[in-house]
Amino acid sequence: MVIPRKHFRRFCFALIVFSCVWLAYQAYKEANAQKTAREAREAFEAAQAVAKPIPTEPAYTPIPDATFTPTPTPKVIQPEFQQLRAEYNNNDIVGYLKIDGTSIDYPITHFKDNEYYLTVDINKNPSDAGWLYMDYENSVERQDLNTIIYGHNMRQDIMFHSLRFFQDEAYFKEHRYITFNTLYENNVWEIFSFYSTTVDFRYIQVFFESREDF
């Protein structure tokens, strides 16, 4: 196609105008796309900031002093023993012994020797029956392998009179649990053996070199 010379200038002008409009449109599209991309990125980052917890400083943990040795916590006397001691006005009370179904149901005392409670009762009054007491070498502060509790062999059914009945197997099986609570803890013991002995056998030994020795 041949464009007449008289229309050539108009054609060139129109082409230039079109080119300018086209370039402007492309620039607008690119700018708008960049804006959209930027807004989308900002929205994504904002969403991440909401979803991700804000980091916090870790809790401060003090480093223990290697030279510090904690003081052992002293044992606390159980309230019932505080009441029992107050009731009898006797701080020698260190335990309570009970065997269900028997007459054995007594506070247990402890003294610096094994003679005192042979002739006095729990109120520290003179008494031929004495009172039940733990061997002076034993201590409720420890878990002794052998705890000895003394009591008179009475004719009447008091103190340790009923222990003789354990020689009967049926009675043994029916009364095989002993409750022995102390100042600091409560215990239930199962009887696995019963025997009668003479004083020739050292049944009152408290300390042992080993468990094998025990």
Side-chain angles (χ1 to χ4, degrees):
M1 184 181 69
V2 179
I3 301 174
R5 183 173 294 178
K6 62 178 180 179
H7 298 301
F8 182 78
R9 291 183 178 178
R10 292 179 181 177
F11 177 79
C12 289
F13 177 79
L15 183 60
I16 291 171
V17 171
F18 177 79
S19 298
C20 290
V21 170
W22 174 256
L23 291 173
Y25 175 72
Q26 292 297 325
Y28 169 79
K29 283 182 62 178
E30 184 177 351
N32 191 57
Q34 290 177 353
K35 178 183 178 182
T36 302
R38 184 173 65 253
E39 290 175 348
R41 184 172 61 254
E42 290 173 352
F44 175 76
E45 291 174 352
Q48 276 194 320
V50 172
K52 186 185 298 182
I54 298 174
T56 57
E57 290 292 328
Y60 172 72
T61 303
I63 300 175
D65 186 356
T67 62
F68 173 73
T69 303
T71 304
T73 304
K75 292 186 176 182
V76 179
I77 296 177
Q78 299 194 78
E80 54 267 35
F81 279 95
Q82 293 177 337
Q83 297 173 6
L84 203 59
R85 285 179 162 191
E87 178 183 348
Y88 291 102
N89 191 28
N90 189 342
N91 287 334
D92 293 342
I93 297 173
V94 296
Y96 201 100
L97 182 68
K98 180 179 176 65
I99 304 179
D100 288 336
T102 76
S103 61
I104 299 174
D105 188 358
Y106 296 102
I108 303 299
T109 56
H110 187 234
F111 199 65
K112 60 184 178 182
D113 61 50
N114 287 339
E115 304 294 329
Y116 183 70
Y117 280 100
L118 286 174
T119 54
V120 299
D121 61 18
I122 194 171
N123 296 304
K124 299 186 178 182
N125 295 322
S127 169
D128 290 337
W131 199 256
L132 302 183
Y133 61 95
M134 190 170 67
D135 190 277
Y136 80 98
E137 288 189 310
N138 282 125
S139 173
V140 293
E141 295 277 355
R142 304 185 303 260
Q143 284 283 354
D144 290 332
L145 291 174
N146 191 24
T147 298
I148 303 101
I149 298 176
Y150 298 98
H152 286 307
N153 180 17
M154 306 297 291
R155 291 183 179 179
Q156 299 173 329
D157 193 13
I158 59 173
M159 301 300 171
F160 278 161
H161 173 88
S162 59
L163 284 182
R164 69 188 68 198
F165 303 138
F166 277 88
Q167 295 177 92
D168 178 77
E169 185 176 1
Y171 187 93
F172 173 93
K173 290 180 178 179
E174 291 175 4
H175 305 87
R176 62 184 313 151
Y177 294 100
I178 296 175
T179 299
F180 182 47
N181 298 336
T182 72
L183 287 176
Y184 311 110
E185 61 184 0
N186 298 333
N187 302 283
V188 177
W189 307 100
E190 181 179 4
I191 305 172
F192 70 90
S193 175
F194 173 88
Y195 63 92
S196 177
T197 184
T198 65
V199 294
D200 295 335
F201 170 59
R202 185 167 169 74
Y203 61 90
I204 62 172
Q205 183 176 351
V206 173
F207 302 108
F208 302 87
E209 292 183 1
S210 65
R211 283 191 171 271
E212 288 73 19
D213 185 30
F214 167 70

